[in-house]
Amino acid sequence: MKKSNEKKSFPVSSRKFLERAAGRILFPAGKNSAEVTLQEEVQILLRFTGNEVHQNCFTKRPSAACRIYDGEKNASAFTADLKTPNLEKLIPQASSLLGNPGKFSKPVPSLYGPQAYDPVNDFDSKILSLTPKILARNLAPALRTAQKSGVWLSGYYSATLRTVLISNSLGLNAFHRSSSCRIGFTLRKGNGIGYASAFSPFPGKLAFEKTFREAMEQAALSNMPVRLKPGFYPAILAPRAGAEFLSPFWIEFSGLKVGKRESFLWDKKGESCFSDLLTIDDNPFHPCQSGLPFDGEGFAKKSVSLIRRGIIKNFTYNRKTAHEFKTKPTGHSPGLIRTETVPVNPVIRPGTDSALSLLSKFRNALFIPHIWYHQIVNPDDLTATGVVKGNALVWKDGRFVGGARNCRYLNSIPKVLKNISGLSRETACIKTGPHGATVLPSLLVPDFRII
Amino acid sequence: MFRDFSSPGRNGISCEDIMRKNRRIKVTESSAEFIRKEQIFASTEGTRIRSCRVISGAGISCKAFGPREIQRRSYPSASKNYASAGYEFIQSLGLRENAERIRDEALRLLESPPCPARTFDLILKDSILALQIHETIGHAAELDRAYGHEDSFGGRTFLLPEKLDTLRIGSAAVTLIANRPEDKSGAGFVAYDDEGCPARETPVILNGIFRGCLSNRETALKAGLKQIGGSAIAEDWASLPLVRMTTLSLLAGKTPFRKLIERTKEGLLLDSEASWSVDEQREDFQIGAEIAWHIKNGKIIGAFKNPLYRAKSGPFWRKCAAVAEKKDGALFSFSDCGKGGPLQNAFVSHGSSPALFRGITCYPASR
């Protein structure tokens, strides 16, 4: 009995069930163009603090959203309840809104028909057998070690299964199921703080011990308080900090933003804007990536070159913006309602040196593991501010000498990308959203400004 | 209901028409949002609570384009304003009446110099003061942070329960109260929290002294508080309730708003939040505004663009010289207060009248 309960801890809906539900939603649309997105997220989450599990959480979130088109008019409706009567009401609900203003200012091309998708390898059926108990068992050695070592350990450990089905009235049927396991450790000892996190679609490959060791090591290295004067420092942005630092940058590639001249890249296509070490593709099919093989309208994704050796290569478009700016869609529709087409699977090509050997080129430097409250303060030159979370590790004369708390920085993202003088050979996949991740090495910035 | 925004209204002109009257205004946004939330809470303690709330919100913004620069102005805040009310709230905002003003201010910013790097007296008004309260007192007073429950997500706090009744966090002009019945029109206000506890009026800062924390059942018990704050809020039925603000308001003072300006020799009047960043202890912050009106010898003489100001939370609130009268104030509600992992968003409301802070470090967004 117990065993069968455990097996049901991920009660996922079958593809057949979701396809039937999509059919029920689309049926009342008749001859109108309509599209539907069904999503289901099932998650086990453990939050731990003070060396013990503090909260256990299990959630199953289904949702269905539809959009109907009548000439230039369109309207959408949403439900979190997948019972048949609710599904059948969705199109009529959306249709009742068609009388309101809300039409596109320009004609929208037809929906996409059936498509073939390249596979994204981010599902492992082993996740179906995970239970909160198993997660707690996996976590126990780390909590015990923390207790014995006299450190304060907190964080999260989650296993998530996501399913997406997009269908439309032209017969498109895009289905993807992905698994995702994440662990994050925050470890405190004295002044020292260590943050480390890991992600893997495959439960057995989550780097548990390595991540814990990394947090322990950072806490130990940053234990000695160091005061930093404002100024420019050579700094290594570890992959997590790098992904966080670049997060507001990707929207600059949105075709709509470029077309409206709101992006600072609007007149830069083909120009060399950044360090020639920098090559970036938006590619969900990279072996370290995780994401959907299609966009929010079911269009098949392909790898898109964004930057090649510092030169801006391409921008991103969906069905509507591609039509508006007379180009081809790139598979970047964010789905119903939203319009900005943001690259969600960036992959930055790594370098050849280790992060430590990049650091050892300098007498004084900083190692930044994690930042937060990172915000754009000037959209014209994409100047961003934020704070190093916990400590920046201070490197002096060939070794780490301590940690500097609460370092606030003020840096223009394009300037940082222009000045990058090294990339590590090690990369990490940093999960940045339900279907997004950034694969990147550590970034060496020779003149990172601390204020 | 949509005519105020995109199609001609009673007087034949909409917000969009007004804002787009100048060719350099190339991007405009007008939006309204209406939410009806029905909730049933039941617990094995015998609690049964049924609630139904209607929340309405709206806002407008425009962007003026220079040769290599974009300036934005918005109203009533950078991220709309909401209330527990219906369409009458949208009408009360006076969107059309403010569309021309923000258009002209956005254009004016293109010609304005950047904010100088120096110390100014600051007058914060409306949504930027609400944000200041939110980031540096509101989140800091959440008791789960004091116990490290948010260590991996929202961070910790400098307002620890052992400092209750002794720590001077602000000047005598500063009193902040959570869950005031007077704030029930705020979109963040709840009668009962998501653990079934009644929301109780809680003085957080009284005349500058730290007097209370925001708590749920677990943290109130741990801190030995006499009563539970009723501040356990979940984004939706599938999320764990977290300790978080519902409403937190700065009590009005007795100085008329115009007197605050007249009393300022060299200062900035900041309007509309543009950016915010705060450290994990909620101690060191930097906030940006859309516009800084330059005050000299008690008069507004010009405007600066891209202003930022930075301080430590305690010293900043201790520099509060005066808070304006109630009639000059407003209740602001944000829809996107994020906390927890996985991230949860919630409505939160802050009442405030404009306040004057002496000697604050300011600088331009790009240096």
Side-chain angles (χ1 to χ4, degrees):
Chain A
M1 189 67 195
K2 259 187 183 175
K3 206 175 172 185
S4 76
N5 274 345
E6 286 203 346
K7 279 199 169 172
K8 280 179 185 170
S9 69
F10 273 96
V12 289
S13 303
S14 66
R15 179 173 183 166
K16 228 178 198 171
F17 170 82
L18 294 172
E19 283 176 348
R20 267 204 306 265
R24 283 198 181 103
I25 294 170
L26 288 173
F27 182 69
K31 286 179 182 173
N32 282 99
S33 292
E35 57 186 332
V36 55
T37 302
L38 285 152
Q39 297 198 57
E40 188 178 79
E41 181 183 294
V42 188
Q43 183 179 66
I44 301 171
L45 169 73
L46 264 66
R47 295 178 71 183
F48 47 99
T49 187
N51 305 339
E52 54 190 41
V53 174
H54 180 236
Q55 287 165 331
N56 285 292
C57 193
F58 170 80
T59 50
K60 180 177 178 178
R61 291 171 189 268
S63 70
C66 76
R67 188 168 193 165
I68 184 161
Y69 299 85
D70 179 10
E72 290 178 355
K73 290 185 175 180
N74 72 100
S76 57
F78 171 90
T79 182
D81 187 347
L82 300 195
K83 288 194 193 90
T84 305
N86 273 321
L87 300 179
E88 288 169 350
K89 277 184 212 159
L90 270 188
I91 290 281
Q93 277 169 352
S95 301
S96 70
L97 297 172
L98 283 174
N100 289 329
K103 61 180 187 179
F104 290 126
S105 52
K106 287 174 188 162
V108 182
S110 153
L111 294 168
Y112 303 121
Q115 313 222 351
Y117 304 113
D118 292 338
V120 171
N121 181 25
D122 63 355
F123 176 66
D124 186 344
S125 60
K126 282 185 190 137
I127 199 164
L128 295 167
S129 60
L130 290 182
T131 64
K133 250 185 192 169
I134 294 172
L135 262 63
R137 213 180 295 149
N138 293 346
L139 185 65
L143 297 176
R144 272 198 301 271
T145 311
Q147 190 75 41
K148 275 185 202 160
S149 318
V151 300
W152 170 285
L153 184 68
S154 52
Y156 58 90
Y157 179 22
S158 68
T160 312
L161 207 144
R162 288 190 181 88
T163 310
V164 178
L165 173 75
I166 298 175
S167 291
N168 70 24
S169 48
L170 293 187
L172 179 137
N173 216 8
F175 178 87
H176 186 71
R177 180 163 277 165
S178 66
S179 52
S180 147
C181 292
R182 299 173 76 177
I183 180 85
F185 290 118
T186 300
L187 197 146
R188 289 176 185 259
K189 187 172 190 179
N191 176 68
I193 304 178
Y195 293 105
S197 61
F199 155 79
S200 176
F202 314 107
K205 289 188 180 170
L206 191 65
F208 230 97
E209 284 170 24
K210 182 176 165 270
T211 311
F212 181 75
R213 268 202 316 274
E214 206 180 303
M216 277 284 255
E217 205 174 286
Q218 273 179 31
L221 293 172
S222 64
N223 192 31
M224 185 66 74
V226 177
R227 281 189 78 87
L228 270 193
K229 284 184 186 161
F232 292 88
Y233 293 86
I236 295 274
L237 299 183
R240 185 169 176 181
E244 289 159 341
F245 186 79
L246 295 177
S247 57
F249 172 61
W250 306 118
I251 196 171
E252 299 297 310
F253 287 88
S254 160
L256 184 62
K257 217 170 176 233
V258 168
K260 288 197 292 188
R261 299 186 174 193
E262 271 195 273
S263 164
F264 82 98
L265 297 174
W266 71 270
D267 57 349
K268 302 270 193 302
K269 192 169 176 180
E271 272 186 37
S272 175
C273 295
F274 307 123
S275 161
D276 58 9
L277 296 173
L278 217 54
T279 291
I280 306 177
D281 299 321
D282 190 48
N283 181 11
F285 309 102
H286 186 277
C288 301
Q289 262 289 1
S290 157
L292 292 171
F294 45 80
D295 73 4
E297 293 176 314
F299 187 77
K301 284 193 173 202
K302 299 280 173 214
S303 177
V304 175
S305 171
L306 302 175
I307 298 170
R308 183 120 315 178
R309 295 196 180 117
I311 297 168
I312 306 297
K313 299 302 280 186
N314 290 294
F315 301 124
T316 54
Y317 296 91
N318 63 7
R319 184 168 58 104
K320 181 172 176 286
T321 56
H323 181 75
E324 194 170 339
F325 299 109
K326 297 183 175 57
T327 181
K328 286 181 181 165
T330 55
H332 285 85
S333 167
L336 304 168
I337 305 168
R338 287 172 297 151
T339 50
E340 293 294 1
T341 51
V342 185
V344 290
N345 302 103
V347 177
I348 302 183
R349 195 173 288 175
T352 49
D353 295 327
S354 70
L356 201 63
S357 66
L358 290 176
L359 202 58
S360 61
K361 291 174 185 167
F362 298 92
R363 242 189 109 184
N364 297 302
L366 301 175
F367 181 85
I368 298 174
H370 185 7
I371 58 173
W372 90 321
Y373 261 97
H374 182 60
Q375 285 220 340
I376 298 297
V377 294
N378 187 349
D380 302 327
D381 59 4
L382 235 57
T383 296
T385 192
V387 187
V388 176
K389 192 154 188 190
N391 290 306
L393 301 185
V394 180
W395 175 267
K396 202 170 181 184
D397 299 328
R399 65 185 187 95
F400 287 109
V401 293
R405 183 70 60 90
N406 291 342
C407 294
R408 177 171 293 286
Y409 57 83
L410 190 68
N411 288 285
S412 153
I413 296 175
K415 271 187 199 161
V416 163
L417 292 179
K418 193 171 186 177
N419 294 346
I420 278 178
S421 58
L423 300 165
S424 73
R425 63 169 176 256
E426 314 93 0
T427 60
C429 177
I430 309 296
K431 197 83 177 136
T432 47
H435 303 294
T438 306
V439 174
L440 76 169
S442 295
L443 315 175
L444 172 59
V445 185
D447 50 358
F448 197 72
R449 181 166 57 183
I450 301 291
I451 60 169
Chain B
M1 107 173 24
F2 296 93
R3 65 186 174 199
D4 286 350
F5 301 102
S6 57
S7 57
R10 266 162 297 184
N11 56 5
I13 193 158
S14 71
C15 291
E16 291 283 306
D17 294 333
I18 297 168
M19 291 190 290
R20 283 180 174 267
K21 260 188 181 168
N22 188 293
R23 279 188 308 127
R24 286 189 295 169
I25 301 289
K26 292 192 174 152
V27 178
T28 52
E29 284 178 33
S30 308
S31 62
E33 201 176 338
F34 303 92
I35 299 161
R36 181 185 153 96
K37 187 176 177 183
E38 285 186 62
Q39 184 168 325
I40 296 169
F41 176 89
S43 78
T44 51
E45 307 285 318
T47 309
R48 301 283 185 277
I49 300 164
R50 186 174 184 159
S51 65
C52 177
R53 298 167 66 209
V54 173
I55 294 173
S56 305
I60 54 172
S61 71
C62 61
K63 288 178 181 170
F65 282 58
R68 288 226 74 94
E69 155 180 36
I70 301 169
Q71 289 294 334
R72 180 180 197 254
R73 284 294 285 128
S74 55
Y75 174 82
S77 84
S79 49
K80 299 189 258 206
N81 192 11
Y82 296 82
S84 281
Y87 190 62
E88 71 281 5
F89 174 70
I90 311 294
Q91 287 175 314
S92 75
L93 288 171
L95 297 173
R96 226 182 333 228
E97 291 74 9
N98 282 279
E100 186 175 349
R101 176 179 63 81
I102 64 165
R103 177 197 70 203
D104 293 346
E105 287 176 5
L107 292 167
R108 180 177 184 159
L109 284 172
L110 291 177
E111 318 300 330
S112 301
C115 175
R118 51 162 293 192
T119 298
F120 284 103
D121 289 348
L122 290 189
I123 299 174
L124 303 185
K125 64 180 284 206
D126 297 345
S127 59
I128 197 163
L129 182 53
L131 181 75
Q132 182 72 53
I133 295 166
H134 180 88
E135 297 292 356
T136 58
I137 302 289
H139 276 308
E142 292 163 351
L143 200 45
D144 58 340
R145 291 170 184 267
Y147 294 120
H149 299 172
E150 276 292 304
D151 213 2
S152 285
F153 311 100
R156 294 207 173 194
T157 177
F158 68 101
L159 290 180
L160 301 170
E162 54 267 33
K163 293 180 181 173
L164 274 168
D165 302 324
T166 55
L167 179 71
R168 173 162 285 284
I169 174 76
S171 70
V174 177
T175 290
L176 285 140
I177 312 279
N179 300 327
R180 287 193 318 160
E182 293 96 311
D183 294 337
K184 70 179 175 193
S185 63
F189 185 86
V190 291
Y192 293 88
D193 75 3
D194 293 329
E195 289 184 338
C197 295
R200 292 197 175 92
E201 189 166 347
T202 308
V204 174
I205 313 283
L206 269 183
N207 301 320
I209 307 292
F210 175 38
R211 295 285 187 193
C213 298
L214 306 176
S215 60
N216 61 354
R217 292 183 305 158
E218 181 191 4
T219 54
L221 183 72
K222 211 166 181 174
L225 302 183
K226 285 182 195 142
Q227 61 174 32
I228 303 161
S231 297
I233 304 292
E235 181 180 78
D236 57 23
W237 57 272
S239 303
L240 281 168
L242 305 169
V243 179
R244 61 193 311 162
M245 289 163 270
T246 51
T247 69
L248 179 66
S249 294
L250 176 67
L251 294 201
K254 289 177 180 166
T255 317
F257 176 48
R258 62 175 174 78
K259 286 267 181 200
L260 291 186
I261 295 176
E262 284 167 17
R263 279 186 198 175
T264 304
K265 268 193 174 173
E266 179 81 51
L268 301 177
L269 168 64
L270 298 184
D271 195 4
S272 305
E273 72 285 9
S275 67
W276 51 97
S277 179
V278 60
D279 79 318
E280 53 153 359
Q281 298 284 336
R282 298 274 148 185
E283 230 174 346
D284 178 328
F285 69 85
Q286 177 187 276
I287 292 178
E290 287 182 0
I291 190 166
W293 296 104
H294 185 197
I295 304 168
K296 195 144 191 158
N297 299 322
K299 283 185 181 156
I300 292 175
I301 58 161
F304 294 127
K305 62 183 159 198
N306 305 332
L308 294 174
Y309 66 99
R310 181 188 181 183
K312 298 252 182 203
S313 301
F316 179 82
W317 284 101
R318 287 197 286 277
K319 288 177 179 175
C320 180
V323 180
E325 292 174 307
K326 194 175 176 183
K327 70 175 176 61
D328 298 317
L331 183 62
F332 269 86
S333 300
F334 301 116
S335 64
D336 54 355
C337 168
K339 187 178 175 183
L343 186 77
Q344 294 185 37
N345 280 313
F347 278 102
V348 60
S349 304
H350 302 290
S352 62
S353 296
L356 170 65
F357 299 84
R358 298 281 189 204
I360 307 298
T361 305
C362 300
Y363 44 90
S366 294
R367 284 191 285 174

